[in-house]
Amino acid sequence: MSIKDRKERDKLDRRKLIIESATKLFLEQGYEKTSIRNIADDIEYSPATIYLYFKEKDEIFYVIHEQGFDLLNKEFINHNQITDPFERLAELGKIYLNFALTNPDYYDLMFIMRAPLSEIKCHSKWEAGENSFQYLLNTVTECLDKKLIVDGDPLIVSMSIWSYVHGLISLFIRERLQSVNIEGEQNPNLLAQSLDYFLKTLKV
Amino acid sequence: MSIKDRKERDKLDRRKLIIESATKLFLEQGYEKTSIRNIADDIEYSPATIYLYFKEKDEIFYVIHEQGFDLLNKEFINHNQITDPFERLAELGKIYLNFALTNPDYYDLMFIMRAPLSEIKCHSKWEAGENSFQYLLNTVTECLDKKLIVDGDPLIVSMSIWSYVHGLISLFIRERLQSVNIEGEQNPNLLAQSLDYFLKTLKV
DNA sequence: GCATTTACTGAACAGTGTTTATTATATTTG
DNA sequence: CAAATATAATAAACACTGTTCAGTAAATGC
């Protein structure tokens, strides 16, 4: 059964080839401008071939969005050995903010665009998102237990913190912060300052 | 010069016709599915005619996005005679949240989508957005003066509050709150609870 | 060696935003 | 009033898009 095995490997390899090309093109020129024909050209296959490996365009971008979560979770794991839960919470926020500013296209796909989630809608759950949320929920729960932040339901508090940072980032990424742009002040700096203010209000 | 006047009026009427049709279709089926040909069909003109009145599709949606701001600002004016600045701030948040949940498509266009802002990018400012932000900034400044909320720079504080509510709403609208969905709990309720928690942390 | 499965593709379908050459009408001028 | 001009609208085309499907060529199983 070696031939069958090889064939399966080859199939996975070509699937990987499509994903890698799509990722490259996506990070270079964004979602809209990355067409099936673009990807097909890049990997030197016909557009129809891609549909032998993916049901639709959004399925490719679902995989890419998962890669984004892998990157984010890796950051969470790498830079988070802090024992004090509040400090860890602050660090979590900084990591999240930094990830978004460093990988705006990934962030867009993961948290703003409708594309990657269009298929999961009914039949499944948003696993990638739920996993990352756990990091936050755990730290928040610990903060609440040790009474380091304003009391509330762990889920509500976690959602609040996530919403806050996401709000900052998404307004920035989708260019709505122009109205708040003081002369000479860099936007990323404003974001960091805002996060500091928020943490100040949160602290008990 | 009466003929010229009438012609000008007619021209504005047709422009209005396009906008009204586009708005109707947009609220019925969203941005992507509202095509120039759709609008042309609806008003019984050829697609090319629309380009005599608008430079590009996004220019139409820029106008619609401005209409959204008119609606929001009207809400701000109507329901906001509260004298206590902190209560007024809380009310402002509720109005904003309510507007978003009642008009999710308008909200998307105003604060999430790239489309309407694509043309302003270089040559102009985002007037509509700046005007609405002023309502918030004024109330926040008053709250800070009367030391009702945690101290900070008025601009940073305003940006923080806006970001927070926008974060809640945009995660909800773009369906990222599934991971936080407790059994039976309605999402809009969670949003309101989160806003309450945030206001609690803000209060001094 | 032949039948069958597998992998791939060209071409087409139904759409999209946008441009341009052309036509029909209305207005102005001689 | 007739000719010249200005205005308004459009049919058709361009260059794209995601997606499907019939047909082909090669590899595999018997």
Side-chain angles (χ1 to χ4, degrees), chain A residues 7 11 14 37 45-46 48-49 52-53:
Chain A
K7 284 220 164 188
K11 205 155 189 182
R14 262 167 323 223
R37 280 172 181 83
Y45 278 83
S46 97
T49 303
L52 301 173
Y53 298 88

Side-chain angles (χ1 to χ4, degrees), chain B residues 11 14 46 48-49 53:
Chain B
K11 208 159 186 177
R14 262 164 324 216
S46 97
T49 303
Y53 298 89

Side-chain angles (χ1 to χ4, degrees), chain A residues 176, chain B residues 26 60-70 106 109-111 116-117 120 126-129:
Chain A
R176 258 68 174 193
Chain B
F26 168 68
I60 302 173
F61 284 87
Y62 177 75
V63 176
I64 296 176
H65 122 284
E66 278 183 319
Q67 288 176 358
F69 273 101
D70 286 346
Y106 268 125
L109 202 57
M110 291 156 74
F111 298 109
L117 274 75
I120 334 169
W126 188 38
E127 249 184 83

Side-chain angles (χ1 to χ4, degrees), chain B residues 82-86 88 138-151 204:
Chain B
I82 304 162
T83 43
D84 178 72
F86 185 78
R88 194 161 73 243
N138 292 341
T139 301
V140 164
T141 306
E142 212 179 313
C143 283
L144 286 166
D145 286 347
K146 297 193 177 174
K147 299 196 184 306
L148 299 172
I149 58 175
V150 179
D151 195 43
V204 99

